[in-house]
Amino acid sequence: MTADVQYTDAQLASQPAPYWTKLAYEATIGFVRRKQAEVGFTQPRFWMLRFLSANDVSEDGQGRTVEELRSAMVSFLRPEDDLAAEAEVLLASGWVTRDGDGRLWITEAGDAARADLKARAPEWGAEMHQGISEAEYATTLRVLMRLMRNTGAAVPAI
């Protein structure tokens, strides 16, 4: 870990937001993906299970095709994410099944694995947020949302 570099407000105010937001995105996504890999998961597999689980993101617990999952996750998939390959791993692990229409359905084992990984998120979040107060974090997100609005982008609901 490198030492914190102290910048003046004037130095920071002149910095390009896209540069720093990309660096922050890559660092935080990399962190989450490393943590998930340490316990034998990938982020796309976790998302797939979340979108299939009635106990999580799925509104109705119905099965979905890989294409339907891809459409639901398009805003946060990375170019290297191969949902078809990830689906095969989930099938082999017994965490999902596939019906005759190509829809994936989460199994009890898959939902238990999803819940186990989700339970680790607060610990990982606390590690990422170490030294950052709730108010500082909220301010950061408000600033990012303002940047989005100022550039004509919609701010999604949370």
Side-chain angles (χ1 to χ4, degrees), residues 9-67:
D9 285 354
Q11 287 173 313
L12 291 173
S14 68
Q15 291 293 301
Y19 172 75
W20 289 99
T21 56
K22 179 165 175 61
L23 290 178
Y25 169 78
E26 293 297 335
T28 55
I29 287 295
F31 174 86
V32 169
R33 287 183 178 226
R34 282 189 308 278
K35 290 294 190 179
Q36 290 178 340
E38 288 172 7
V39 295
F41 246 98
T42 67
Q43 195 170 41
R45 270 184 243 150
F46 179 56
W47 287 331
M48 292 171 81
L49 293 175
R50 292 191 69 200
F51 276 84
L52 293 170
S53 175
N55 298 314
D56 206 326
V57 177
S58 176
E59 295 175 8
D60 57 13
Q62 296 298 302
R64 291 183 180 196
T65 65
V66 169
E67 282 307 313

Side-chain angles (χ1 to χ4, degrees), residues 76-157:
F76 44 86
L77 286 175
R78 293 175 58 96
E80 67 270 21
D81 294 340
D82 182 346
L83 295 190
E86 298 286 4
E88 294 305 317
V89 174
L90 290 172
L91 285 160
S93 70
W95 291 352
V96 299
T97 60
R98 182 181 287 142
D99 66 19
D101 294 326
R103 293 185 167 294
L104 299 172
W105 296 82
I106 194 167
T107 64
E108 283 186 37
D111 209 34
R114 176 207 55 81
D116 180 58
L117 188 63
K118 191 171 184 176
R120 297 169 190 263
E123 175 188 334
W124 296 341
E127 192 173 338
M128 270 199 300
H129 292 212
Q130 186 175 2
I132 303 168
S133 72
E134 189 174 287
E136 289 171 321
Y137 187 76
T139 296
T140 300
L141 294 185
R142 284 188 186 97
V143 168
L144 291 172
M145 290 175 188
R146 173 61 68 151
L147 284 170
M148 291 170 66
R149 283 191 297 273
N150 288 351
T151 61
V155 175

